[in-house]
Amino acid sequence: ARRTSHDKHMEGVRELEEMDGCGTASKEDEEGVVAKNDVESLEGGRISRVEDGAPPRQRNRTWKDVWGEQEVMLPHFVGLLAMSGLIYASLFLIFGAPMLPGGEGFALGVLYATALVFGWVVSLTTMPDLIGMLVAGLLLRNLPGKPIDGLKSSWSSVLRDVALAIILLRGGIGLDLRQLKRLGVSVVVLTLCPQLVEAVTAAGLSVALFGLDWLWGLLGGFILGAVSPAVILPLMLHLQGQGYGKKKGVPTMLLSAAGLDDAVAITLIGVILGAIFQAGSIASKIIQGPIEVFVGVLSGVALGFLSKPLVHAKKRHRIAIVPLVSISIFLLARHFKYSGAGALFCMSYGAFYAFFCPVDTCVAEVDGFVKVLWNHYQPLLFSLVGAALDFSRVSGSDVGTSVVIILVAAVARFGTAFISVFYSGLTAAERLFVAIAWLPKATVQAVMGPLPLDQAEQYGDEEEEGFGLKILTLAVMAIFITAPIGAIGIKLSAPRLLEKEITGDTDSMAEEAKELENVHTNGLGP
C-alpha cells in the first residue's frame, strides 16, 4: 500500500514538473503538500497560483529583473575595513613617523578608510558609490585641522594614473574583437563625434563664462568630454552577460568606444598641456597625437601576442604579470609625456591578450584579479580627486558656471551620440539607449582634472593657477552630476530599450526563477 501511494505521488510530481518546465520538483512537491491541480510556479522571483493546465502568467521585465535587488554587503564592508586597519597597524610598526598624523602614510590611510565608509553608505541607494568616495575626499580636505595635509601632490598624481591603467586594462579584456570588427565604423564615429561636439561646446562656454583663453578652454573641454569606463564598463559587461543588446553588439560597441574615447581624450589633453606648458614647435606637438595612437596600439598588439606563453605559467604569476605590465608601461609613457599612448596600450594589450590566449579560463582568472584590484583601488582614486579641491579657493559663481557648462555640453553630447549611430543598424530605442549610456563622467575627470592645476603650481603662474582651479571645479562637478544620472539612466532604460537575445531555454520559467546577479553601479563591486 505504501509503494502504491508513493508511486501515485511521484506520478503527480512528474506531471507537475512537465507543467512548470523546471525539470525538478520543489521541496513541497516531494512531501506531497502541493496538490496535482493546484500548481505554484515561479514567475520572475514571485509566487503565483496557476490552475491545472493553465499556462503560467508572464510579466514584463523591469530593471530589477535585469540588475537584481541592491544588496547590503555589510559583512564584506566590515571585513574590508578591518583588513585596512590591520594593514595600517603593520605599516606603522614598520615605517613609524610617516604613518603618524601629518605623514603621507597616515593621510592615505585616513583617506582610504573614510572613502570606504562613504562609498558603502551611498551604495545603499541607486547612486554609484564613487559619489560617496568623492565626498569623503572633499570633506577631509576642507575639515578644520586638515587631517590629510601631509599628502604630496606627486603621490596623488601617480596613484591616479595607476587607477586609470587598471580600468582601461579591464575594459580591453572585456572587448569582443570579432564584434568590434563588424562595428568598426560605428565605434569610430561614436568615439569622435560626441566628444568633439561636447569639447568644443564646453570650450566656447568656458571662454565666454570663465574668461579662459581658447587653449585652456579646449583643455577643459576634452577633460569634460571623456566618458567614464568606471561607470559604463561593468554595466555593459553585465548586460552582455544577460543577453541584452548582444545580438546587435550594443554593449560591445559601447565598451570599445568608451576605451577609445578615453584614449583620444587623454592624447589630446597631453598635446594641449604640452602646448601650454612646454617649449617646442606647434608642428611637433600636433604630430605627437598620431604617433601616440600608432605606438600605443602596435605595442599593445605585440605584447598581447607575446603573452601567449603565460598560459603555461602558474596562476599566481599569470594574474599578476598582465596588470603589472599594463601599469608599468602606462607610467613609463606618462614619464615621457605620452600618456595617450599609454592609455591605448592598456586597452589594446588587454584586448589582444584575451584574443590570443588559447584558454578562456586563463583570461577569466586575469579578469577576476583586475576586478579585485579595481575594487580596492577605486576608493583611493575618487577620494584623491575630491581631496584636490580646496573650498577656500573656489567661488560659488565658479560652481554655478560649471553646472551650466556641464548641462549645456551634456545636451549637445546626447543629441550627437543619438545621431552618430544612425547608420549602425540600431533601432530608435537602441540609439536612445546609446545616447543615455554616453553621459556619465568619472574616471578621466578624476585622473586628469587636477593635472592642469598641478602643472600651473609648478610653474608658479597665478593666472594659470586660477584657470587650473576652474577646470578642476568643472571636473569634480561633472562627476557629481553625470555619474548618477548616467548610471541610473542605464539601469532603468536597459530592460525597456534593448532586445534580449534568447538562446536555448534562456526564457524558460526555470531561468526566470534564478536569482539574477547583483551589480553595483560602480560596476566592479564585489
Side-chain angles (χ1 to χ4, degrees):
R2 288 180 182 176
R3 183 173 300 167
T4 302
S5 175
H6 175 73
D7 290 343
K8 287 182 178 179
H9 169 67
M10 292 308 298
E11 182 181 355
V13 169
R14 282 193 295 270
E15 291 182 14
L16 291 177
E17 292 173 351
E18 291 174 359
M19 291 175 65
D20 64 18
C22 293
T24 57
S26 64
K27 183 177 180 182
E28 289 80 5
D29 294 334
E30 293 175 0
E31 295 174 355
V33 176
V34 180
K36 177 180 178 181
N37 63 344
D38 193 12
V39 182
E40 291 188 350
S41 68
L42 284 172
E43 183 183 3
R46 298 181 182 179
I47 303 295
S48 63
R49 308 295 291 190
V50 180
E51 295 299 324
D52 188 14
R57 287 190 298 107
Q58 299 293 325
R59 67 184 179 89
N60 294 329
R61 296 185 185 90
T62 66
W63 71 277
K64 288 184 179 179
D65 294 324
V66 181
W67 305 105
E69 295 284 355
Q70 191 73 302
E71 184 178 351
V72 180
M73 304 193 70
L74 183 59
H76 169 80
F77 166 73
V78 172
L80 196 58
L81 204 58
M83 183 181 69
S84 303
L86 291 172
I87 291 174
Y88 173 78
S90 302
L91 291 174
F92 170 73
L93 294 174
I94 296 171
F95 296 109
M99 304 304 297
L100 293 174
E104 296 90 344
F106 177 83
L108 281 176
V110 170
L111 202 60
Y112 186 80
T114 309
L116 278 179
V117 174
F118 278 64
W120 174 70
V121 171
V122 171
S123 72
L124 302 181
T125 69
T126 55
M127 291 195 299
D129 57 357
L130 60 86
I131 298 297
M133 298 166 188
L134 193 66
V135 171
L138 283 168
L139 291 178
L140 287 173
R141 168 59 65 192
N142 296 281
L143 281 175
K146 299 189 182 295
I148 57 170
D149 260 4
L151 186 62
K152 296 179 180 178
S153 60
S154 58
W155 284 35
S156 299
S157 180
V158 173
L159 291 170
R160 293 195 304 265
D161 285 336
V162 171
L164 185 58
I166 291 171
I167 192 63
L168 289 175
L169 174 65
R170 171 85 166 117
I173 293 174
L175 284 181
D176 185 339
L177 291 179
R178 293 173 182 84
Q179 280 273 32
L180 177 59
K181 182 180 178 181
R182 184 177 67 83
L183 298 167
V185 175
S186 300
V187 169
V188 172
V189 173
L190 185 60
T191 296
L192 296 178
C193 293
Q195 181 180 136
L196 290 174
V197 169
E198 183 177 25
V200 172
T201 302
L205 291 171
S206 298
V207 171
L209 302 178
F210 269 151
L212 307 182
D213 62 38
W214 269 101
L215 267 181
W216 278 92
L218 287 171
L219 179 61
F222 282 109
I223 288 176
L224 177 63
V227 78
S228 173
V231 177
I232 291 177
L233 167 67
L235 299 179
M236 291 306 109
L237 289 175
H238 183 74
L239 285 174
Q240 190 168 261
Q242 294 289 318
Y244 284 93
K246 188 175 181 180
K247 184 177 181 180
K248 293 186 179 179
V250 176
T252 295
M253 178 194 295
L254 290 168
L255 283 171
S256 309
L260 294 175
D261 180 273
D262 283 2
V264 169
I266 292 168
T267 300
L268 292 173
I269 290 166
V271 170
I272 297 171
L273 278 173
I276 293 173
F277 292 108
Q278 296 173 14
S281 67
I282 297 295
S284 64
K285 293 169 184 174
I286 292 174
I287 203 172
Q288 180 179 337
I291 292 174
E292 290 196 30
V293 172
F294 178 77
V295 171
V297 173
L298 184 64
S299 57
V301 174
L303 279 178
F305 178 77
L306 293 174
S307 297
K308 283 179 66 176
L310 287 177
V311 71
H312 303 295
K314 293 182 178 179
K315 176 182 174 181
R316 62 177 178 271
H317 297 154
R318 181 172 56 249
I319 64 175
I321 288 173
V322 174
L324 283 175
V325 167
S326 296
I327 292 168
S328 301
I329 297 295
F330 188 88
L331 294 178
L332 186 67
R334 173 184 175 273
H335 176 75
F336 289 104
K337 313 298 182 186
Y338 277 76
S339 297
L344 280 169
F345 168 80
C346 292
M347 280 290 299
S348 56
Y349 177 55
F352 281 94
Y353 168 76
F355 180 76
F356 288 124
C357 184
V359 182
D360 290 342
T361 53
C362 295
V363 178
E365 289 167 357
V366 173
D367 188 33
F369 182 67
V370 174
K371 178 179 177 179
V372 171
L373 280 180
W374 176 251
N375 286 342
H376 294 289
Y377 213 97
Q378 185 181 225
L380 204 53
L381 169 64
F382 290 104
S383 59
L384 280 170
V385 71
L389 192 61
D390 189 342
F391 286 159
S392 64
R393 301 174 63 185
V394 179
S395 66
S397 62
D398 283 350
V399 174
T401 302
S402 296
V403 173
V404 171
I405 294 172
I406 291 163
L407 293 178
V408 174
V411 171
R413 181 186 187 91
F414 183 89
T416 308
F418 183 84
I419 296 170
S420 296
V421 290
F422 191 81
Y423 293 104
S424 61
L426 302 182
T427 64
E430 289 165 336
R431 295 199 302 272
L432 180 59
F433 176 79
V434 169
I436 293 170
W438 222 226
L439 287 176
K441 315 293 175 63
T443 316
V444 171
Q445 290 72 26
V447 174
M448 307 300 287
L451 198 56
L453 180 59
D454 292 344
Q455 295 264 13
E457 288 176 341
Q458 289 177 15
Y459 283 87
D461 188 309
E462 289 188 6
E463 182 184 26
E464 290 183 338
E465 285 183 24
F467 290 168
L469 188 60
K470 292 177 189 297
I471 289 177
L472 176 59
T473 306
L474 188 69
V476 171
M477 294 307 299
I479 298 173
F480 272 122
I481 294 171
T482 64
I485 292 174
I488 295 170
I490 291 170
K491 295 188 77 173
L492 290 175
S493 64
R496 293 171 172 82
L497 301 179
L498 296 182
E499 179 184 351
K500 183 172 183 179
E501 184 180 54
I502 300 174
T503 55
D505 63 347
T506 306
D507 207 37
S508 68
M509 292 173 58
E511 189 69 21
E512 292 292 331
K514 289 183 180 178
E515 180 182 358
L516 292 164
E517 178 188 357
N518 177 57
V519 172
H520 293 282
T521 47
N522 69 9
L524 297 178

